[in-house]
Amino acid sequence: MSKLTHLDDKGEARMVDVTDKAATEREARAEATIRMAPETLNMIIEGEHPKGDVLAVARIAGIMAAKKTHDLIPLCHALNLTSVKVELTPGSDGASVHILTRCKLSGQTGVEMEALTAASVAALTLYDMCKAVDRGMEIGSVRLLEKKGGRSGHWVADKA
């Protein structure tokens, strides 16, 4: 097992020093799912939600969250992201929305936390916008799908 990079030799929390690391192309993909009543999903798809285009707002929230990850996660570096994509797809089950995010940059540290934060905040935004009609929504399956670049190379999650 690898040692935890955010702990020093004394076991104290620290920000990882990436000063001497070479900048490389890095990319991460993450996902989340929010389950809801079929009527709630139908309202979203049909554009009948009183708050407007729920999916567009969640997409923007995810993008903004990726850009602000360093403000939310204490030991994350502020990154100069070059691309953030957030896709929201109604589930084939008729009662969920699948969120897929991708973050890219050329830099000294990875973008996994940014992709995960984008997926999480997009899901939370969907919940916030729809809670008046469906408080029983459930956010789940938040996970990293893939990471490319850096010293540890390419990693892909096992199929769920």
Side-chain angles (χ1 to χ4, degrees), residues 33-46 89-98 134 137:
T33 300
I34 181 166
R35 299 188 192 297
M36 60 193 65
E39 299 80 19
T40 306
L41 181 60
N42 190 56
M43 182 184 289
I44 293 169
I45 292 170
E46 297 299 323
T89 307
S92 59
D93 62 0
S96 65
V97 174
H98 180 254
D134 186 358
M137 290 176 288

Side-chain angles (χ1 to χ4, degrees), residues 109-121:
T109 189
V111 292
E112 298 93 340
M113 294 308 300
E114 287 70 17
L116 286 162
T117 300
S120 299
V121 170

Side-chain angles (χ1 to χ4, degrees), residues 3-150:
K3 81 177 211 175
L4 298 173
T5 58
H6 284 87
L7 298 178
D8 65 16
D9 293 335
K10 298 176 195 170
E12 296 174 353
R14 69 176 174 112
M15 186 176 199
V16 175
D17 185 352
V18 297
T19 305
D20 295 330
K21 290 175 79 175
T24 60
E25 297 295 316
R26 296 162 186 263
E27 179 178 337
R29 293 184 316 114
E31 70 177 350
T33 300
I34 181 166
R35 299 188 192 297
M36 60 193 65
E39 299 80 19
T40 306
L41 181 60
N42 190 56
M43 182 184 289
I44 293 169
I45 292 170
E46 297 299 323
E48 296 172 355
H49 196 286
K51 291 185 179 179
D53 189 342
V54 173
L55 297 178
V57 174
R59 186 176 308 106
I60 295 297
I63 292 167
M64 291 174 62
K67 293 166 51 173
K68 292 291 194 174
T69 299
H70 66 281
D71 288 333
L72 301 170
I73 311 295
L75 301 176
C76 281
H77 292 85
L79 300 180
N80 186 23
L81 296 169
T82 57
S83 177
V84 178
K85 293 189 176 177
V86 178
E87 297 174 14
L88 297 107
T89 307
S92 59
D93 62 0
S96 65
V97 174
H98 180 254
I99 301 158
L100 180 64
T101 63
R102 187 186 74 178
C103 294
K104 291 174 66 174
L105 61 67
S106 178
Q108 296 166 293
T109 189
V111 292
E112 298 93 340
M113 294 308 300
E114 287 70 17
L116 286 162
T117 300
S120 299
V121 170
L124 288 167
T125 300
L126 285 172
Y127 187 95
D128 181 54
M129 293 193 72
C130 297
K131 69 181 182 255
V133 296
D134 186 358
R135 293 201 187 274
M137 290 176 288
E138 180 182 315
I139 295 170
S141 303
V142 178
R143 69 183 192 132
L144 184 68
L145 295 173
E146 182 178 21
K147 161 248 177 288
K148 296 179 185 177

